[in-house]
Amino acid sequence: MAAVGLTAVAAWVPCRSWGWAAVSFGPHRGLSALLPRKPQRAPRWLPVCRQKTSVSFLNRQDLPKLAYKRLKGKSPGVIFIPGYRSDMNGTKAMAIEEFCKSLGHACIRFDYSGVGSSDGKSEECTVGKWRKDVLSIIDELAEGPQILVGSSLGGWLMLHAAVARPDKVVALIGVATAADGLVTQFNQLPVEVKKEVEIKGVWSMPSKYHEEGFYHIPYSFIKEAEHHCLLHSPIPVNCPIRLLHGMKDDIVPWHTSMQVADQVVSKDVDVILRKHSDHRMKEKADIQLLVYTIDDLIDKLST
C-alpha cells in the first residue's frame, strides 16, 4: 500500500493474530520489526490500577489548578493526554499507568482545566487553554524526556506539545488522533446548519459516547480551535511517532492519521490500523497494542 505524498516507501504488514496492519513511513525498523519482543520485557495484560496513586493539584498563577496523578520512576516518562472532555480515569490512562509501574517508568495522567477534578469552568474551555494545560504538566511536573500518548483530541494537543517542547518530548503515540478534528467536522456541515449554529451559539454534535446523545459545543470553541489547526502545512516534529487508529472509527476517520503521517517532518512514523476497532480503542486487544507500542518506544529510546 502506498501513501500519497510521501517519498518513503510504505510497507503494509498484516498480523493475523491481532487483526491489525502497520504502515511504516521511513527507513527505520518500526515496532522493532513489528513486535518480535524480548521475552523478559514482553508486556502482559495487566489488571487496571491495582494500587491507587493519590490525586495532587498543580497550582498555577492566574490559571486553574490542574488535578493530576504522578508515578515516579525511570526515564523516559509517559504522559497521557485525554480526549475531548475526558478525564484521567479512563481505561487507557489507567492501563498505561499500571504498565509503566510494571516497568518502573514514570507516568503522569491529568485532567484538563474545567474537566474532572481540575478547577475551571467547562463552558470557558478552549483548545488553546488545554494546550497550555499540557505544557504546564510537561514544564512543571515531568522530569527528563517524555513519551506523550494522546487520545483523540489529546492526539492533536500532543503534536502541539512536541512542536513547543522538542527537547523534552522524545516520542509520540496517537490513539485515534483527532488533529483539526472538530474544526474539520464543523466545516463539513451544510451551510444552513453552520449558520444556525452561529446564530444559536452552540453546536449539538451527535455522539453515541455521550449520555445525552450529543456534545453541546460552543460556537466560540470551534472558532478558537481554528487558530490551532495543523494539517494545512508541514508539522515540525522530528521524534518517533506511532499512530494507532480503528478502521471502524465513526468520529475521526482513520485517514486523519494518514494525513498526520504525511504532514509531520519526522522520518520515523508508523500508522497502525485495527480493522474492527472503534473510536475509543479500549478493548483488551487495543490496550495490548497500546502498551506494546509504549514498550517498543521505551526500548528504542533506551538503546
Side-chain angles (χ1 to χ4, degrees), residues 162-176:
V163 172
R165 301 292 185 269
D167 294 335
K168 206 160 187 179
V169 176
V170 294
L172 301 178
I173 301 173
V175 182

Side-chain angles (χ1 to χ4, degrees), residues 44-55 69 71 78-82 86-102 105 107-111 149 151 281-282 287-288 290-291 294:
R44 60 195 181 280
W45 173 246
L46 296 164
V48 171
C49 259
R50 287 174 299 217
Q51 290 180 311
K52 292 184 177 178
T53 48
S54 58
V55 177
K69 293 191 176 186
L71 179 71
V78 178
I79 300 175
F80 180 75
I81 307 173
S86 296
D87 63 28
M88 60 177 158
N89 297 315
T91 303
K92 292 188 287 289
M94 297 174 75
I96 288 169
E97 180 186 84
E98 190 66 21
F99 179 67
C100 287
K101 189 183 302 177
S102 76
H105 278 260
C107 181
I108 299 172
R109 50 191 173 100
F110 69 99
D111 288 338
V149 181
S151 177
M281 290 196 72
K282 60 191 295 187
I287 301 299
Q288 286 178 323
L290 176 56
V291 298
I294 294 170

Side-chain angles (χ1 to χ4, degrees), residues 8-87:
V9 174
W12 181 262
V13 188
C15 178
R16 289 188 298 272
S17 61
W18 280 48
W20 54 261
V23 183
S24 176
F25 302 103
H28 70 288
R29 289 174 62 80
L31 278 179
S32 293
L34 289 144
L35 306 179
R37 304 297 294 123
K38 298 191 291 289
Q40 68 269 27
R41 279 183 56 85
R44 60 195 181 280
W45 173 246
L46 296 164
V48 171
C49 259
R50 287 174 299 217
Q51 290 180 311
K52 292 184 177 178
T53 48
S54 58
V55 177
S56 302
F57 291 88
L58 175 62
N59 293 304
R60 303 181 295 168
Q61 187 174 2
D62 301 323
L63 291 171
K65 288 191 297 185
L66 297 180
Y68 69 92
K69 293 191 176 186
R70 177 170 56 178
L71 179 71
K72 293 195 174 182
K74 295 182 292 187
S75 291
V78 178
I79 300 175
F80 180 75
I81 307 173
Y84 179 76
R85 297 194 183 281
S86 296
D87 63 28

Side-chain angles (χ1 to χ4, degrees), residues 141-157:
L141 296 179
E143 298 176 0
Q146 301 295 314
I147 298 171
L148 305 186
V149 181
S151 177
S152 192
L153 184 138
W156 184 2
L157 294 175

Side-chain angles (χ1 to χ4, degrees), residues 157-285:
L157 294 175
M158 79 176 182
L159 291 167
H160 275 285
V163 172
R165 301 292 185 269
D167 294 335
K168 206 160 187 179
V169 176
V170 294
L172 301 178
I173 301 173
V175 182
T177 300
D180 303 2
L182 288 171
V183 175
T184 301
Q185 288 172 270
F186 181 77
N187 287 338
Q188 290 172 345
L189 295 173
V191 174
E192 59 272 18
V193 175
K194 288 191 283 188
K195 289 201 171 190
E196 183 181 350
V197 170
E198 185 176 355
I199 293 168
K200 288 184 176 179
V202 64
W203 175 28
S204 295
M205 183 184 78
S207 174
K208 63 184 179 184
Y209 303 121
H210 192 279
E211 56 187 14
E212 294 180 24
F214 293 90
Y215 279 114
H216 300 291
I217 303 173
Y219 179 65
S220 58
F221 184 97
I222 302 297
K223 298 307 290 182
E224 193 276 341
E226 290 177 352
H227 299 296
H228 305 285
C229 288
L230 293 170
L231 295 178
H232 51 76
S233 61
I235 304 170
V237 176
N238 286 288
C239 65
I241 302 170
R242 306 292 178 259
L243 300 168
L244 319 182
H245 219 123
M247 295 180 76
K248 299 291 186 185
D249 190 335
D250 58 351
I251 305 297
V252 180
W254 60 266
H255 304 85
T256 304
S257 283
M258 302 297 285
Q259 287 181 278
V260 172
D262 192 24
Q263 290 297 80
V264 292
V265 300
S266 174
K267 290 181 168 39
D268 186 351
V269 181
D270 291 337
V271 177
I272 304 167
L273 302 176
R274 281 193 52 79
K275 185 173 182 179
H276 298 293
S277 295
D278 63 14
H279 182 66
R280 294 173 296 178
M281 290 196 72
K282 60 191 295 187
E283 299 302 321
K284 180 178 177 178

